[in-house]
Amino acid sequence: MFQVPRGTRDFTPEEMEKRRYIEQNMAATFTSFGYGEIQTPTFENLELFTAKSGESIVNELYAFTDKGGRELALRPELTAPVIRCYVERLQMEPKPLKLFYFGNCYRYDRPQKGRYREFQQAGCEVIGVETSEAAAELLALAFTLLKNVGLKNVRINIGNLTIISAIFKRLNLLKDDQKILLPLIDKSQFDDLKVSLRDCGVSGKDAETFIRVLQTSEVNEIRSFIADDPDAVKELAAMETILGLLKNAFHVTEYGIKLSIVRGLDYYKGLVFEIDAPVLGAEKQLCGGGSYELVSLFGGTEVPTSGFAIGFDRTILALEAEGFIFPPLKLDVYIIPVNQDMICTSIEIAQQLRSQGFSVDFDQLRRGIGKSLKYADSKHVEKVIIVGPKELEKKTVTLRDMKIGNQEIVSITEICAKLKKT
RNA sequence: GCCCGAGUAGUGUAGCCUGGUAACAUAUGGGACUGUGGAUCCUCUGUGCCGGGUUCAAAUCCCGGUUCGGGCCCCA
């Protein structure tokens, strides 16, 4: 027997229905915000990803050499490919450029709940704008996407790497120190952080204040700590403007400042954020993003860029955990030929209804009426048409409503009109 | 990549400790029902993750692999 490879999955029609629902719903939200869809190849030159994230990520990639000796890799995420595409052929497009995408990504990780080796992401990148209103819209869009698919309880946590850098500078921390400290901040391991800060020569008092600032949501507390760094003060003021717009213009209130969001990556700058679904417990992060610098690394003229990615699988898990009812697979009409002489007419009716936009199926197993009705019921069909010789003599059929349970004799020519009415 | 647990019809489970004919529910197919569903009854088909070892005999015990789940690592 063959099985799917480790960390991959088959999706049944039932599961695909959920996935398509989310995809279509999100695409509608993206387009309503003025975004255009983009698609890039499933694999890229390996170098694209090592340039972005360093040689060490090769361990977590599906990388291979093709028959021409090219070093390639299945994409582990979509930001780098989209920015590559921008640099390669979209640099002269009018700004701002707003791009969204859906795509399968691949990582050689140990699979866990909600985490697979092949997984789907939805996301977007905004190129060529760095105003507060653009940043606020990005946050609002990420939030709206998740709300629109039906999630009730999600929360945005907003951090800022410019402010974190200013604090590092003020505490006289070197680049090498930051490499040790950032992962601890990311994981909110504040006890370990305190020890490491002391090892890096930070006084106990400063360390405690720093750790308190990392956990606070009070702007004033942050401001007093960074008061002597003009860049950081400016960034904090910009952040207040963004949050003001988010609240007063986009009417999104489920957010908080959380400076310990650092996203652990070199190329993020300034605003960073994550969105959680508390129902998921430990593995609750649904979305991550922020502003970053990649264009110049890929050889393009530097422009502001920002974006985010949403994990499809966790979004589905979160919806299921919240008890969300997905729109069910729907078959409008099921046609039952009473005997084999009725098959031809049944097919004609099916074809006619299909051309009018109804989803229609008919019995192809030549089952009895009882069994066919049972089958129709198990498929949640709303209407059944029974084609039998008695009615057919008068060019009529029986139209049965499966919900109410009653039925009526309808002329063949009037079926369509009758169905449209209800 | 490391540690732990699990894997029995399509699905959900029992049996495993203490080796001896693989079981139950549900779903699917057929029928009771030759023109009317969700009920009931009958019935067919279908099951030990893979490989090796111990044994007269392995679902059961042992070893290796594999997949899933949990915990690390990682999480762009």
Side-chain angles (χ1 to χ4, degrees):
Chain A
M1 273 277 275
F2 292 109
Q3 307 180 319
V4 293
R6 181 172 165 83
T8 67
R9 295 157 292 164
D10 296 316
F11 297 113
T12 61
E14 197 185 346
E15 290 160 337
M16 280 312 295
E17 191 69 11
K18 294 180 181 181
R19 301 179 78 81
R20 288 288 185 224
Y21 157 75
I22 290 176
E23 197 173 284
Q24 285 165 14
N25 188 294
M26 285 186 175
T29 305
F30 276 123
T31 51
S32 78
F33 276 69
Y35 281 72
E37 188 167 5
I38 186 169
Q39 192 166 59
T40 63
T42 304
F43 56 88
E44 297 268 357
N45 287 309
L46 175 63
E47 222 187 330
L48 179 74
F49 302 115
T50 55
K52 174 179 172 244
S53 309
E55 287 295 332
S56 60
I57 63 144
V58 176
N59 293 324
E60 275 112 52
L61 289 178
Y62 276 92
F64 58 99
T65 308
D66 77 0
K67 290 177 185 174
R70 286 172 277 259
E71 296 281 332
L72 302 171
L74 298 180
R75 60 188 178 198
E77 48 98 29
L78 284 156
T79 299
V82 168
I83 296 302
R84 191 225 76 237
C85 172
Y86 165 75
V87 172
E88 194 173 327
R89 49 188 295 189
L90 298 175
Q91 287 201 69
M92 297 307 153
E93 291 288 307
K95 303 294 185 304
L97 191 53
K98 297 166 112 179
L99 306 168
F100 80 95
Y101 50 76
F102 300 99
N104 289 350
C105 299
Y106 303 83
R107 294 181 192 174
Y108 196 89
D109 268 335
R110 186 198 166 285
Q112 287 177 37
K113 195 170 186 66
R115 190 162 144 190
Y116 303 90
R117 289 183 170 179
E118 180 186 54
F119 58 96
Q120 190 167 12
Q121 278 193 346
C124 66
E125 313 298 335
V126 187
I127 302 169
V129 60
E130 59 180 345
T131 56
S132 303
E133 51 271 36
E137 188 187 70
L138 190 72
L139 292 166
L141 171 58
F143 181 82
T144 306
L145 282 163
L146 294 170
K147 277 295 202 185
N148 282 356
V149 296
L151 282 170
K152 291 193 182 74
N153 188 11
V154 292
R155 187 169 175 83
I156 315 175
N157 291 309
I158 302 166
N160 191 296
L161 292 178
T162 306
I163 294 171
I164 293 287
S165 298
I167 294 172
F168 280 149
K169 206 167 83 189
R170 194 197 124 169
L171 298 176
N172 292 315
L173 291 165
L174 306 168
K175 263 256 149 52
D176 288 345
D177 296 333
Q178 297 181 18
K179 280 208 181 111
I180 301 165
L181 299 174
L182 282 174
L184 295 176
I185 295 173
D186 192 29
K187 285 175 209 154
S188 298
Q189 296 174 349
F190 296 121
D191 291 339
D192 296 342
L193 179 63
K194 204 162 157 185
V195 175
S196 295
L197 280 167
R198 196 187 316 137
D199 293 346
C200 295
V202 176
S203 77
K205 190 174 159 243
D206 277 346
E208 280 192 18
T209 314
F210 181 27
I211 289 168
R212 204 171 60 239
V213 166
L214 282 176
Q215 295 173 85
T216 189
S217 54
E218 290 300 316
V219 174
N220 289 334
E221 195 166 349
I222 299 168
R223 195 188 337 262
S224 63
F225 195 58
I226 58 162
D228 50 1
D229 186 307
D231 285 346
V233 171
K234 221 169 100 187
E235 188 72 20
L236 188 63
M239 212 161 142
E240 285 188 274
T241 310
I242 292 166
L243 297 185
L245 287 170
L246 192 59
K247 188 173 170 183
N248 302 320
F250 288 104
H251 301 299
V252 172
T253 53
E254 294 93 326
Y255 66 84
I257 292 178
K258 195 173 167 192
L259 285 183
S260 62
I261 305 280
V262 293
R263 308 240 76 220
L265 287 167
D266 293 347
Y267 58 87
Y268 276 105
K269 296 272 155 28
L271 176 80
V272 287
F273 68 96
E274 295 177 354
I275 301 182
D276 294 340
V279 272
L280 290 183
E283 307 266 297
K284 64 183 177 183
Q285 193 193 322
L286 296 181
C287 171
S291 55
Y292 55 88
E293 289 174 4
L294 267 186
V295 172
S296 56
L297 184 66
F298 292 171
T301 308
E302 190 56 50
V303 285
T305 45
S306 53
F308 60 81
I310 293 174
F312 238 70
D313 301 298
R314 286 213 188 142
T315 302
I316 291 173
L317 287 176
L319 281 168
E320 285 170 345
E322 284 191 355
F324 181 77
I325 311 292
F326 288 85
L329 268 175
K330 196 171 85 29
L331 189 62
D332 298 319
V333 183
Y334 191 72
I335 302 176
I336 305 171
V338 166
N339 60 43
Q340 290 183 37
D341 294 334
M342 301 298 115
I343 290 173
C344 183
T345 306
S346 296
I347 292 171
E348 284 175 334
I349 294 170
Q351 285 295 86
Q352 186 200 336
L353 293 176
R354 283 166 176 167
S355 73
Q356 293 297 310
F358 293 100
S359 56
V360 185
D361 201 357
F362 65 95
D363 172 48
Q364 303 181 348
L365 277 174
R366 303 178 183 179
R367 275 191 285 223
I369 289 189
K371 278 272 153 76
S372 286
L373 285 171
K374 204 169 174 176
Y375 175 81
D377 178 59
S378 73
K379 291 287 183 184
H380 307 111
V381 180
E382 288 177 12
K383 304 279 185 184
V384 164
I385 292 170
I386 299 163
V387 184
K390 277 186 265 171
E391 299 95 319
L392 198 59
E393 275 176 28
K394 298 174 195 157
K395 305 259 190 239
T396 59
V397 294
T398 300
L399 177 63
R400 184 176 177 85
D401 187 307
M402 296 297 278
K403 277 202 183 121
I404 305 167
N406 63 358
Q407 60 189 37
E408 56 186 321
I409 308 293
V410 177
S411 150
I412 289 178
T413 51
E414 287 169 358
I415 296 172
C416 221
K418 199 87 194 170
L419 285 173
K420 276 179 181 165
K421 228 187 280 176
T422 52

